[in-house]
Structures are given as C-alpha cells and as structure tokens.
Amino acid sequence: MSEQPTSSKTAADQTNGASKPTSPNSDLKLDFSSFWNYSSAPESSENIVIKKKYGHFINGKFVDPAKGRTIKSINPATEEVLTEFAEGTVEDVDAAVYAARKAYDKVWSKLDPRERGKYIYRIARMIQERSRELAIVESLDGGKPIRESRDVDVPIAAAHFFYYAGWADKLDYAFPGRKAEPVGVCGQIIPWNFPLLMLAWKIAPALATGNTVVLKPAETTPLTALIFAEICQDAGLPDGVVNIVTGAGQTGSAIVNHKDVDKIAFTGSTKVGKIIQKSLAGTDKKFTLELGGKGANIIFEDASIDQAVEGVVNAIFFNQGHVCCAGSRLLVQEGISEAFIRKLKDRMETLIVGDPLDKNTDIGAINSKAQYERINEYLEIGANEGATMYQSSSELPENGYFCKPTIFTDISQSNRIVQEEIFGPVLTIQTFRTPDEAIDKANNTPYGLSSGIWTDKGSKIFKVGQNMRSGVVWSNTFNKFDPTSPFGGYKESGVGREGGLHGLYPYTKLVKN
C-alpha cells in the first residue's frame, strides 16, 4: 500500500498515518487528514498462451466446425478480442454425440470403476497443476476478479473431481441394495458466470458413474472449457468420453433435442430452462435444471452487525452479482435498519471496482455488453418505480463494462427489482418487524434457490430456516460451497440437485440387486 497525504504535512511530520504526541504524556491519536490507497498489484498474463482460433473438441481431437462458422470471445474489461472459437451446428453436435456413444458402448461403461476413478483423479491433479493459467484465463474471459478465480473457482473445481473420483468404485455403498448403472450419453450446457466450476459440477459425477459427455460452454466464456479439453488429452482420457462443442443458443438446442442423448443437465436462466423442459416433455430423457434465483438475506436484531455486513457484501457483490444464488434481497429488522444500512454504505465505499487481474480488485467487469445493458435497464426501472438508489463513489475504468455496487431502499414487495433476477451488483433492501413477516417476504418470489439467516440464536435459525422455501439456507454466512453438499432449488429455481451424493442420482439408473 502507498500513503497519499492530503494535508500540507510532509511525510516527515507523519508516523504511519498517526500524528505525533505533543508530549510524552499526551494520547496518541489517529490522523485522519491522510488516506491510504492500494498500490496496483496486477497478475501477469505474459506467459499465458491463448490460441488465435479454437475448434470443437470431438473424439479426443480439436476439429474445425462443419460449416466454418466462428464467434469472437471478448475480454469484458477491455472490449478487446481474445480469440475466435467454433460455432457449433447440428452436424457438429451429431459428430460429438456419435463419438460419445461409441466411447460409452465400447470403452467407458465397460471400464473397471477403479480405473475410471484414476482418470478423474488425474484430471483433478492436472487442474491443480494448471491452476494459475486457468485462473487468469477465467478472469480475462469472464471479467471476474483474479482473487475469486484463483481462490474459489479453480480450487473448488479441482475438489469436485477429487470428490467424485472417490465415488467411482463405491457406488454400491452410495446406493445400498441397488445397482447403479450409467444413463448413457449426457448433454450438458453450462453458464458464463462460473465456467470452469459449472463444468466440474457436471462432468465429474457423469464420468464417475460411467457416462460420456457432450458439453457446451457459454458463448461468452468458452476458454477454460477448451483448456479443460487439453487437460483431458494430457490425462490420456479415452477418445470420445468428453466432447466439447462451442456455440450459442442454437448449438445448445441441438444438444437438447438430439435423439441419442440420454440425459440433459442445464444451468442458466429460468426462461431458457422452461424452454428446455417443454422440449423434453414426452421423452424419456432424464434432466436436471439449475436456474435463476432471488435470494433473501435476513438480518435479525441480535445478529453480529459487522459480521452480517461482510456477509451481505459477499452475498451480492461477489462475482459482480453474477451468481444464481446471490443474496440480492436484504431484509433487515427495523430496530437496526438505519445503523445497518449506514455501515453497509461505509463498507461499499471501500470496494474497489476495476481491472479483474489486479489482486486488489473487489468487483471486476460485467461479463458482456448485453448483461451490462440489462443491469442498467434495471437501474432505470428501480428509479422509475420510486426507489431510492445509492451507489458507491468508486471511479470506473474508461473502457470495458463496469458497474458500481448499488443498493435500493424505499421499495415494496411488488417492485420489479425485488421480484426479478437482475444478475448484477444490485441489492434491494426492505425491513421487517417479526420473524413471520421476514419469512413471508423472503418466500414471496417465483424463485427458491438460496437464502441466509443472521442471528445469535440457534433456535431462531432452525425455526426460520425450516420455513424457507430455498434449496440452500446459510446461517451466519453466505456463498459457502463444498463438493460434498447438494445444491439446487425449488419453484422456478430448478429441478434436481448437483453436488454430494445427491449429484450421483441424475447420472444413474438404479436397479435392485
């Protein structure tokens, strides 16, 4: 850090930001006439190699798209082109599904489970070995701060492969009295907010249970999936077990509607999830859908306020609010609401918005121009609805897609910014008087993915928590993930669970021994 004195005092007149005592008996007082700035701490990307063009990864090899179409990948922090990647068509999906079916029938489903586990374990170790590269590319491609890519996304992705590697030869213990058989070829479509982590959530359990995969990453963040394809090659994974077809919505649709795909796993918007569910109606395909959310963070008067403020910041401003389970609604008990909001505003002033590769950055770039425009539309909607908007005074970079951390107060339950998923660093704040009122407000949305409860009373955690219609309920914390814990939602937040023992179910057919 570097100190930037704002008064006329010289550096010699100051000692570590504190004024000198006038006499040996005087009290030492802090000098608030100076302020501290963090010196730039950029993560170097000089040794990171991003190819000029990427093809699909089909049957163990990178191949050109059937119709030669490509899409540009944009760095959202600079608006510069990172690379070009293939746009998948029906022909590309056919080739990938054919390779996956062949690998399933002839190799992977017949392989000894212990050997499958060894491959998955090897992949986990290689993710660790290439962790720095994966973290930097994730931040370049998606805009998230390097601290989050480095300390959250990549380690937890590796942990999922380690975890499911252990289950590969223990399925008889996972499902006592029943035999777990693989489903077949799994079509998987992942979002742009956690590209590598969502890939791990889907591929690891699929491989552990003996299935093969055709995966499509989001069109704005394909790069870590393509690096993962290189890891599959280096790990010696049999050809066709993992296939990655890049592209946009039409590519995903081709996977969902392919007749030789046995299971669909999708993470993304509720709107697209409904389309997929309609497409699968009347078929015998298994599916899991992890969709949108509008999570409520409930702060009671007996909570540790400072701890809760940090939890709220983590709940909504982590990954620029690009989190399906984000705590995007704050419910504060009336007795502490003024003090809490004041402390929250003070904390927001310390958040650094800027270069995702700078280790000091708290809030990086919005993932894409389209999402940036969507967030700004909701800011206008909130203002037009009569809500009071507060944004931090942080300066934004001149280039790229950046949004200041934002809170709305003076709102009602019917406001669109309270009911609809914004998927950005935008928090709505309401107050409540009783636990029952908090529960009613928290449950009064179409979503049911996550919620948080902050209180000093364990009995209150259980009483309120059991009445929350949320797939995940955190107590005195938020956004804690572990590969052993299931994750999923109620209502319009999805169908099924991923992670933990529950994450094995969608990829198996259970028959009695």
Side-chain angles (χ1 to χ4, degrees):
M1 294 189 298
S2 62
E3 187 183 6
Q4 305 285 335
T6 57
S7 69
S8 59
K9 294 181 181 180
T10 65
D13 293 326
Q14 300 180 356
T15 304
N16 294 328
S19 60
K20 294 181 180 179
T22 57
S23 68
N25 295 325
S26 64
D27 293 331
L28 186 66
K29 297 180 180 179
L30 292 175
D31 177 11
F32 292 103
S33 63
S34 63
F35 65 91
W36 295 85
N37 279 342
Y38 286 101
S39 297
S40 179
E43 180 73 49
S44 174
S45 59
E46 289 183 1
N47 296 321
I48 303 301
V49 178
I50 297 177
K51 300 175 183 177
K52 293 183 178 179
K53 184 177 291 188
Y54 287 89
H56 303 302
F57 182 70
I58 298 175
N59 201 30
K61 301 178 181 62
F62 283 96
V63 298
D64 293 331
K67 294 188 176 179
R69 299 173 183 169
T70 61
I71 302 174
K72 293 180 180 179
S73 182
I74 307 295
N75 180 341
T78 63
E79 302 178 60
E80 297 175 350
V81 176
L82 287 169
T83 186
E84 290 186 8
F85 59 94
E87 181 179 2
T89 59
V90 172
E91 292 83 357
D92 298 311
V93 172
D94 281 342
V97 173
Y98 176 80
R101 176 62 64 186
K102 182 178 178 181
Y104 173 79
D105 289 338
K106 296 187 176 182
V107 181
W108 198 245
S109 65
K110 294 179 169 46
L111 193 64
D112 183 90
R114 182 176 298 181
E115 295 303 311
R116 287 203 299 260
K118 289 179 181 179
Y119 279 111
I120 301 169
Y121 186 89
R122 192 179 303 163
I123 288 172
R125 290 289 291 119
M126 288 184 171
I127 289 175
Q128 288 184 322
E129 290 167 2
R130 299 182 68 169
S131 60
R132 181 176 179 274
E133 174 191 7
L134 287 165
I136 292 173
V137 171
E138 197 82 312
S139 291
L140 287 171
D141 205 21
K144 64 176 58 186
I146 186 66
R147 286 186 305 167
E148 295 176 6
S149 301
R150 179 195 65 197
D151 299 341
V152 179
D153 293 44
V154 177
I156 298 181
H160 273 78
F161 280 98
F162 279 125
Y163 175 73
Y164 284 110
W167 272 121
D169 62 346
K170 302 176 185 66
L171 296 179
D172 289 342
Y173 298 94
F175 311 107
R178 294 170 291 177
K179 180 177 177 58
E181 297 179 350
V183 173
V185 175
C186 300
Q188 302 177 329
I189 302 167
I190 59 175
W192 45 259
N193 56 338
F194 291 95
L196 184 66
L197 184 55
M198 293 298 100
L199 176 150
W201 279 26
K202 289 173 172 53
I203 290 183
L207 298 190
T209 47
N211 302 281
T212 55
V213 167
V214 177
L215 179 137
K216 187 197 86 70
E219 60 268 30
T220 61
T221 54
L223 283 178
T224 47
L226 295 169
I227 293 175
F228 179 81
E230 297 175 355
I231 290 174
C232 291
Q233 287 180 319
D234 294 340
L237 193 70
D239 294 347
V241 172
V242 170
N243 305 273
I244 296 175
V245 180
T246 53
Q250 290 183 341
T251 310
S253 178
I255 294 173
V256 169
N257 296 309
H258 200 286
K259 294 182 179 180
D260 204 23
V261 170
D262 301 297
K263 196 268 180 187
I264 294 295
F266 171 78
T267 297
S269 71
T270 296
K271 179 181 178 180
V272 176
K274 290 179 178 179
I275 295 172
I276 291 175
Q277 194 168 19
K278 288 180 181 179
S279 298
L280 298 178
T283 73
D284 59 356
K285 294 180 182 179
K286 299 187 73 171
F287 66 91
T288 50
L289 304 173
E290 197 267 282
L291 308 176
K294 196 70 178 176
N297 237 340
I298 303 174
I299 317 295
F300 286 97
E301 290 176 338
D302 56 11
S304 171
I305 293 183
D306 291 337
Q307 179 187 353
V309 166
E310 290 302 310
V312 169
V313 168
N314 178 53
I316 184 57
F317 300 132
F318 174 70
N319 195 30
Q320 298 77 254
H322 298 334
V323 186
C324 52
C325 58
S328 54
R329 290 184 297 144
L330 179 61
L331 302 176
V332 188
Q333 201 156 16
E334 280 187 3
I336 60 169
S337 60
E338 289 186 10
F340 192 94
I341 293 172
R342 184 177 65 252
K343 282 177 175 284
L344 178 59
K345 288 179 178 179
D346 289 343
R347 182 64 176 92
M348 288 169 61
E349 288 299 315
T350 71
L351 297 176
I352 298 173
V353 182
D355 180 9
L357 289 186
D358 192 322
K359 301 181 190 71
N360 299 320
T361 295
D362 298 298
I363 300 177
I366 302 303
N367 182 267
S368 66
K369 183 179 181 181
Q371 185 61 25
Y372 174 75
E373 292 173 347
R374 173 184 170 87
I375 293 169
N376 281 302
E377 285 177 7
Y378 272 103
L379 296 184
E380 291 183 11
I381 289 170
N384 292 335
E385 288 180 325
T388 300
M389 183 174 71
Y390 173 84
Q391 292 185 314
S392 73
S393 59
S394 57
E395 295 184 3
L396 301 183
E398 294 182 2
N399 298 318
Y401 313 122
F402 293 90
C403 179
K404 294 181 179 182
T406 305
I407 61 174
F408 280 105
T409 54
D410 302 318
I411 52 178
S412 65
Q413 193 69 27
S414 61
N415 285 160
R416 287 182 61 186
I417 56 174
V418 174
Q419 292 291 323
E420 299 176 13
E421 186 179 41
I422 300 173
F423 223 60
V426 182
L427 176 69
T428 62
I429 303 178
Q430 298 172 272
T431 61
F432 68 91
R433 293 181 179 179
T434 66
D436 288 340
E437 182 185 358
I439 292 168
D440 288 343
K441 284 184 174 180
N443 288 336
N444 186 15
T445 73
Y447 301 102
L449 189 56
S450 68
S451 57
I453 301 170
W454 300 79
T455 174
D456 192 43
K457 303 293 189 293
S459 59
K460 192 178 293 182
I461 291 172
F462 287 109
K463 180 181 179 180
V464 175
Q466 68 183 0
N467 288 290
M468 301 296 292
R469 288 293 291 166
S470 298
V472 179
V473 180
W474 284 291
S475 60
N476 294 323
T477 189
F478 212 93
N479 276 340
K480 297 296 183 183
F481 298 98
D482 187 276
T484 66
S485 298
F487 182 88
Y490 294 103
K491 298 186 286 186
E492 293 191 9
S493 286
V495 177
R497 296 292 181 265
E498 294 182 302
L501 175 61
H502 295 70
L504 296 169
Y505 278 90
Y507 293 99
T508 58
K509 294 181 291 185
L510 300 178
V511 296
K512 291 183 179 181
N513 284 331

